[in-house]
């Protein structure tokens, strides 16, 4: 099985423009293939926590794209408020059942949200600079 055939659970940030003729959200072919503006990839659960942390509705599948400037402002404000204040570490959850595997889930190092939000902010800024026609961002 090739990597491209594997179904991955997770989310990333994508940039869009609204086609005024059709009313559909689109992104350019050049942008889609440009690795220099590809943002980080998170699990759906992590993306929901990140969006919730910065005050965005975490149900990203149901939300239309938001203006890129609004996203940059929200993430910049969050980062400014947290200068010198790293997000708390989260301990992993360990489940041990007799006669079965030990399951470990979750857990994050201190500063995880600071780093994730900074990475998304930087990606949005790169997109805005390189592709000014892409005016909105969404998550999927």
């Amino acid at each position: 099985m090739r990597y491209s055939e594997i179904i991955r659970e997770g989310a990333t940030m994508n940039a869009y423009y609204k086609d005024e003729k059709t009313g559909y959200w689109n992104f350019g072919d050049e942008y889609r293939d440009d690795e220099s503006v590809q943002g980080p990839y998170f699990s759906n659960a992590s993306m929901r926590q990140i969006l919730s942390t910065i005050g965005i509705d975490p149900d990203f599948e149901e939300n239309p794209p938001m203006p890129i400037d609004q996203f940059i402002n929200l993430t910049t404000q969050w980062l400014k408020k947290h200068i010198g204040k790293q997000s708390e570490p989260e301990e992993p959850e360990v489940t041990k059942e007799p006669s079965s595997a030990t399951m470990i889930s979750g857990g994050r190092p201190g500063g995880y949200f600071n780093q994730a939000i900074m990475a998304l902010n930087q990606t949005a800024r790169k997109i805005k600079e390189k592709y000014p026609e892409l005016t909105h961002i969404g998550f999927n």
Side-chain angles (χ1 to χ4, degrees):
M1 177 179 280
R2 293 182 309 186
Y3 179 75
S4 62
E5 295 173 338
I6 297 172
I7 296 173
R8 295 173 26 178
E9 179 273 343
T12 189
M13 180 174 65
N14 293 292
Y16 301 91
Y17 69 93
K18 192 165 192 173
D19 185 320
E20 297 303 324
K21 291 180 184 175
T22 65
Y24 293 117
W25 291 102
N26 296 308
F27 50 88
D29 291 334
E30 188 177 327
Y31 160 75
R32 180 182 2 196
D33 298 329
D34 188 346
E35 291 183 16
S36 73
V37 293
Q38 298 301 311
Y41 187 83
F42 298 100
S43 71
N44 283 348
S46 290
M47 184 62 83
R48 290 181 207 296
Q49 285 183 303
I50 292 164
L51 294 176
S52 181
T53 296
I54 57 178
I56 297 174
D57 182 355
D59 291 327
F60 57 86
E61 297 97 339
E62 305 300 321
N63 298 330
M66 72 185 305
I68 196 167
D69 289 333
Q70 180 183 357
F71 180 79
I72 290 170
N73 289 338
L74 283 171
T75 54
T76 299
Q77 289 172 0
W78 190 93
L79 290 164
K80 283 181 177 180
K81 287 181 184 176
H82 292 86
I83 291 175
K85 300 176 197 169
Q86 295 293 306
S87 57
E88 293 293 320
E90 296 176 9
E91 293 298 319
E93 182 178 314
V94 179
T95 306
K96 288 184 178 186
E97 296 291 330
S99 302
S100 79
T102 298
M103 304 298 285
I104 301 172
S105 63
R108 292 192 169 78
Y112 172 83
F113 288 106
N114 304 72
Q115 292 170 7
I117 293 166
M118 175 62 85
L120 291 171
N121 179 282
Q122 290 172 336
T123 300
R125 289 173 184 275
K126 284 181 198 175
I127 292 167
K128 181 178 175 170
E129 181 179 327
K130 194 164 185 179
Y131 298 99
E133 69 277 11
L134 301 175
T135 59
H136 288 68
I137 56 106
F139 304 89
N140 58 20

